[in-house]
Amino acid sequence: MSTAANQRENKKSGIKIPDHPALAGISKPTLEKLARLGISRSLDLVLHLPIRYEDETRVYPIKEALSGQTVQVEGVVVNTEIQYRPRRTLVCQIEDAGGTLVMRLLNFYGSQVKALAPGTKVRLLGEIRQGFFGAEMVHPKYRIVRGDMPLPNSLTPVYPTTAGLSQDTLCKLIKRGLAENDLAESLPRQILQTFKLPGFKESVLFLHQPPPRVKLQQLAERDHPAWRRVKFDELLAQQLSMRLHYRERRSRVAPALSRLGQLTQALHEGLPFVLTAAQRKAIEEIAGDLSQPYPMQRLLQGDVGSGKTIVAAFAVLQAIENSYQAAIMAPTEILAEQHYHKFTGWLEPLGVDVAWLAGSLSKKQKQVALKSVLQGEAMLVIGTHALIQEQVEFHKLGLAIIDEQHRFGVHQRLALRIKGSRPGLQPHQLMMSATPIPRTLSMSYYADLDVSVIDEMPPGRTPITTKLVADNRRAEVIARVRDACVAGKQAYWVCPLIEESEALQLKTALETHSVLKTTFPELKVGLVHGRLASREKAAVMRAFLQGEIQLLVATTVIEVGVDVPNASLMVIENAERMGLSQLHQLRGRIGRGSEQSVCILMYQNPLGEAARARLKIVFETSDGFEIARQDLRLRGPGEFLGARQSGVPMLRFADINTDIDLLEAARNAAERMLKEFPQSVELHLQRWLGGRKDYLRV
Ligand code: ADP
Ligand code: MG
């Protein structure tokens, strides 16, 4: 209901935006339950749409109802009794004009027995089954028919709910929501016409109360025009907010880091390899961004081993040429230390001091490092989460780089940026990730970022051969590892992932290590796991890199970033427990040299269906993009992105895997609305994102 009272003046545009009523007069416990469903405004009730429907608009003759069909029937109780075999059951026989049916209730109260006395008229909704004694329904939804009880004239919605909140209560609240909100059209007529969309009000009313003759299937598959409208709206809100976010970033200020070239040129000349075309392009794109007076927010994305680190080094040097510091944060100490060695190797010859910050430093070492960062002697600082701790202060941070960005939470990424900010000035930010983003994701959840892609591997890599081997052929695997190591190669042995218990995972790793040590008395077998002190971890990795260890038993801590080119064999135990992207990342640790590499995925039979599907994909393809696409398809965007970490509100109705046409349409519509209909943009965002519009993407 739109009244003058609930319109407020929007200062910027001078346009009337309806004020959405709050959730008034609802008890606190109910409010809490609603909040669990994402409902915090009255309008959210309107946007809380059914997951399915029940058809109570029609009554079927019992005789005509087919087995397996969910239908409503109506009849008179002819007999009600409690049977005790096989367990206490209320058995109630019901008869209509042409047939009879048995209703069975396994959980019931005495009052129900009474209410279902012979002669009572009842309506049942449930699945009909042809049992031994004829048609029956087990635990149908039933109601007693008293007097003249008309059939409803719309399908009955079933809403997603949460423990303690009944369908009835939710239904009533939603009805109220529908009545008290202004459901005015948020989209301009031109947009509705271009994309052939029905009206908003009409669509939500339809979805809450569909008329009787609608095909349940079309509703269930969500391709009814009303569903398409809702999904379009949702995607449009996402597009609009991403674009506004993008624009807003351009209004902030960052140091314009000119392309001076002294240091970058020197790095170029000293490189032991030739950059790939994809690397050169990424370096170019980043250099262009850095020279702008507003903060870069770019994602550098490239499959494992595609050579992202050197690209980061060019960016670092551009900052340093302009007398600004750079920082690189990595998720594990192993990886951070590896970066530290690489960067000192590249930068020290150019006269650049690199500082190292990690949890494992002694107090004294830490103080020295902190001081050199604060005073600007160290122009590059590399570390783990230690970089965002309180004591760290930068002299003048111009560029923050986050490696394996998906391993960090939103707040950690933000913390580094805030740390490096000075009044009115923000550092540029480069995020790196080896998890490729499928196109639909980059069009949706990542639409506010600039993305550089390295889609080409450095030359000279031989493709990895992947083998699937059942656990009972362990002896063959062991022989293979021995042969490889004796021939001077190195191998990883990855222990099973045990998600439920870190302690158990550690135990397994220790056991595996001791078993393999006895199995291979002639080899040097090392062990690395997450519980090892950082110093020990680093020592093991160094020994492996230098070839002192031939076989490295490891937990999934080696999943990200580790680079030991001579390692060309990997055994992964219980590969069926791991996710697609994880397997791909692990496998990416080999195939880094010119040696033919082999990855053996050991699995335990019997394989579940999902596990079988995953292993098949990893076996068949080594293309990170394809694997990411499949991973997204199997797990959905919430899991794929790590909803908690992405900081982006998830889509509730649209599915980016199947609604690609709507996604494209929403993208076009967003562009047009921002240009031609700014007032509709406000209204639309208010309706769909409300207070959630200011999400963090950092
Ligand atoms: P990732 O993209 O997984 O972070 P890295 O940056 O660790 O990959 O690079 C993997 C390996 O490839 C490193 O040993 C690196 O020195 C090497 N490398 C990077 N670029 C090239 C290139 N253009 N030619 C040859 N080797 C390269
Ligand atoms: Mg890397």
Side-chain angles (χ1 to χ4, degrees):
M1 255 169 277
S2 166
T3 64
N6 63 18
Q7 305 260 320
R8 75 184 152 82
E9 202 78 24
N10 181 285
K11 290 205 188 74
K12 255 187 272 163
S13 53
I15 287 153
K16 303 264 186 198
I17 302 277
D19 234 352
H20 298 298
L23 286 168
I26 298 175
S27 73
K28 199 158 167 252
T30 306
L31 283 177
E32 278 163 12
K33 284 172 204 141
L34 289 173
R36 248 181 271 150
L37 297 172
I39 300 173
S40 59
R41 310 170 294 169
S42 169
L43 183 69
D44 296 332
L45 287 163
V46 173
L47 302 176
H48 192 71
L49 296 171
I51 26 169
R52 61 185 179 86
Y53 300 90
E54 285 171 348
D55 187 357
E56 292 176 294
T57 63
R58 279 179 276 186
V59 167
Y60 278 77
I62 292 174
K63 220 171 50 186
E64 283 173 27
L66 298 173
S67 190
Q69 206 178 16
T70 299
V71 290
Q72 176 166 259
V73 298
E74 185 177 292
V76 175
V77 177
V78 289
N79 185 38
T80 292
E81 62 182 40
I82 300 171
Q83 292 178 358
Y84 288 90
R85 265 171 300 170
R87 53 176 281 200
R88 191 166 169 267
T89 308
L90 181 67
V91 179
C92 184
Q93 199 173 0
I94 290 144
E95 187 178 78
D96 72 0
T100 64
L101 170 134
V102 167
M103 165 168 82
R104 291 179 182 276
L105 300 181
L106 298 168
N107 299 304
F108 55 93
Y109 300 108
S111 57
Q112 284 176 287
V113 185
K114 258 193 223 138
L116 288 165
T120 313
K121 201 170 173 193
V122 286
R123 224 172 255 171
L124 318 176
L125 177 82
E127 188 185 325
I128 290 256
R129 281 196 264 166
Q130 292 303 327
F132 191 66
F133 301 104
E136 60 176 41
M137 276 188 191
V138 181
H139 269 277
K141 178 172 162 187
Y142 78 90
R143 45 179 117 206
I144 310 281
V145 183
R146 287 195 187 82
D148 193 20
M149 198 166 87
L151 291 166
N153 53 16
S154 62
L155 298 176
T156 312
V158 180
Y159 293 103
T161 187
T162 180
L165 187 63
S166 72
Q167 282 294 329
D168 270 359
T169 310
L170 197 49
C171 256
K172 275 188 203 123
L173 289 171
I174 288 171
K175 283 222 169 79
R176 201 181 93 180
L178 285 170
E180 74 188 2
N181 280 284
D182 180 351
L183 305 180
E185 186 52 60
S186 64
L187 301 184
R189 196 164 23 84
Q190 294 90 324
I191 298 279
L192 292 179
Q193 274 165 1
T194 308
F195 299 100
K196 299 198 175 51
L197 297 165
F200 175 74
K201 183 172 182 175
E202 169 195 340
S203 299
V204 288
L205 288 179
F206 178 91
L207 292 175
H208 283 292
Q209 293 149 6
R213 296 294 158 197
V214 178
K215 288 228 166 63
L216 279 176
Q217 176 140 357
Q218 211 186 3
L219 284 177
E221 284 166 7
R222 299 198 169 179
D223 62 356
H224 188 280
W227 265 125
R228 288 179 59 83
R229 166 66 204 257
V230 165
K231 295 195 284 190
F232 176 89
D233 271 21
E234 184 183 39
L235 289 165
L236 178 64
Q238 186 189 46
Q239 291 293 323
L240 290 171
S241 84
M242 291 280 180
R243 270 162 197 257
L244 289 175
H245 191 249
Y246 191 92
R247 280 191 185 176
E248 185 269 331
R249 171 154 52 88
R250 302 217 154 185
S251 66
R252 291 185 248 146
V253 183
L257 307 170
S258 320
R259 309 175 65 169
L260 301 175
Q262 312 109 345
L263 295 173
T264 46
Q265 196 53 40
L267 177 66
H268 222 118
E269 282 156 14
L271 275 187
F273 46 72
V274 181
L275 294 170
T276 61
Q279 282 172 318
R280 282 202 306 272
K281 181 156 176 271
I283 291 170
E284 222 17 65
E285 287 166 346
I286 294 166
D289 277 8
L290 291 176
S291 65
Q292 301 297 327
Y294 48 82
M296 164 173 84
Q297 246 183 77
R298 189 171 277 276
L299 181 68
L300 173 61
Q301 187 219 294
D303 211 342
V304 278
S306 60
K308 295 183 287 293
T309 321
I310 189 69
V311 173
F314 279 95
V316 164
L317 287 180
Q318 188 167 335
I320 298 175
E321 282 170 353
N322 286 271
S323 308
Y324 275 90
Q325 290 173 300
I328 302 178
M329 183 160 79
T332 67
E333 191 147 343
I334 292 182
L335 188 53
E337 172 148 9
Q338 190 181 286
H339 280 333
Y340 177 67
H341 289 301
K342 275 205 178 150
F343 278 88
T344 37
W346 287 326
L347 305 198
E348 274 188 349
L350 308 179
V352 175
D353 267 352
V354 184
W356 160 247
L357 265 179
S360 63
L361 290 185
S362 72
K363 214 167 172 182
K364 183 92 183 292
Q365 290 170 312
K366 195 164 179 187
Q367 268 168 358
V368 173
L370 286 173
K371 194 165 154 222
S372 76
V373 174
L374 176 63
Q375 300 188 335
E377 286 147 23
M379 290 305 278
L380 170 62
V381 49
I382 298 179
T384 55
H385 305 85
L387 282 186
I388 49 179
Q389 272 158 10
E390 249 172 76
Q391 319 93 305
V392 183
E393 275 180 71
F394 293 99
H395 174 61
K396 225 171 128 188
L397 187 70
L399 170 65
I401 298 179
I402 297 176
D403 194 17
E404 307 292 349
Q405 61 98 22
H406 59 286
R407 287 302 196 94
F408 290 98
V410 178
H411 297 287
Q412 294 170 318
R413 284 179 267 161
L414 181 63
L416 185 57
R417 195 172 85 198
I418 290 178
K419 208 165 235 325
S421 293
R422 288 180 299 154
L425 206 60
Q426 273 188 5
H428 296 279
Q429 191 162 10
L430 178 66
M431 289 166 277
M432 305 204 282
S433 171
T435 306
I437 308 171
R439 186 171 148 270
T440 50
L441 271 191
S442 62
M443 276 171 66
S444 55
Y445 293 97
Y446 284 98
D448 63 331
L449 291 185
D450 293 302
V451 180
S452 292
V453 182
I454 307 185
D455 53 4
E456 170 186 17
M457 285 288 175
R461 303 269 165 91
T462 35
I464 303 168
T465 307
T466 300
K467 295 182 186 294
L468 287 175
V469 177
D471 192 52
N472 55 15
R473 288 169 53 200
R474 183 172 283 262
E476 289 167 44
V477 174
I478 285 174
R480 182 151 200 155
V481 170
R482 178 175 286 121
D483 289 350
C485 290
V486 167
K489 298 171 191 168
Q490 287 172 284
Y492 293 99
W493 190 291
V494 182
C495 298
L497 173 74
I498 299 167
E499 276 189 338
E500 311 82 59
S501 153
E502 204 193 331
L504 201 57
Q505 175 149 353
L506 178 61
K507 183 164 164 275
T508 315
L510 293 173
E511 278 169 14
T512 311
H513 179 234
S514 93
V515 170
L516 290 176
K517 254 188 1 197
T518 359
T519 314
F520 301 115
E522 68 276 47
L523 302 181
K524 277 251 165 48
V525 184
L527 171 66
V528 64
H529 56 75
R531 272 312 175 83
L532 229 46
S534 311
R535 222 171 316 113
E536 295 169 283
K537 239 188 270 180
V540 176
M541 290 316 293
R542 206 170 308 122
F544 190 54
L545 183 63
Q546 290 166 359
E548 289 155 22
I549 289 174
Q550 291 153 298
L551 176 62
L552 182 63
V553 177
T555 54
T556 49
V557 295
I558 57 147
E559 171 190 335
V560 290
V562 172
D563 186 30
V564 179
N566 191 47
S568 59
L569 176 61
M570 174 176 280
V571 178
I572 303 179
E573 282 205 72
N574 288 103
E576 78 279 2
R577 291 190 197 163
M578 296 186 193
L580 267 183
S581 295
Q582 189 169 37
L583 285 170
H584 182 64
Q585 291 279 327
L586 281 169
R587 181 171 59 180
R589 300 305 113 219
I590 54 173
R592 300 188 150 236
S594 48
E595 210 47 70
Q596 169 68 52
S597 290
V598 177
C599 178
I600 300 176
L601 304 176
M602 280 214 277
Y603 62 89
Q604 206 118 38
N605 272 318
L607 275 181
E609 208 171 303
R612 182 181 301 272
R614 285 198 299 269
L615 291 180
K616 182 164 181 283
I617 293 164
V618 188
F619 175 70
E620 284 175 354
T621 172
S622 58
D623 174 355
F625 265 98
E626 179 55 19
I627 288 180
R629 226 172 48 77
Q630 300 281 1
D631 199 17
L632 176 63
R633 184 178 61 81
L634 293 176
R635 290 195 298 161
E639 292 247 335
F640 184 91
L641 291 170
R644 234 167 2 102
Q645 308 211 329
S646 71
V648 182
M650 290 290 124
L651 295 168
R652 287 178 293 163
F653 306 118
D655 176 344
I656 55 165
N657 286 318
T658 50
D659 296 320
I660 301 171
D661 60 327
L662 285 173
L663 179 56
E664 306 253 14
R667 199 156 75 143
N668 294 336
E671 198 164 321
R672 192 157 158 209
M673 278 176 62
L674 286 167
K675 264 198 225 119
E676 298 171 33
F677 310 104
Q679 70 280 25
S680 306
V681 171
E682 287 258 357
L683 179 55
H684 194 78
L685 284 175
Q686 182 64 22
R687 172 170 288 166
W688 278 91
L689 295 180
R692 293 186 305 150
K693 157 165 87 175
D694 301 321
Y695 66 84
L696 299 168
R697 155 89 78 190
V698 286

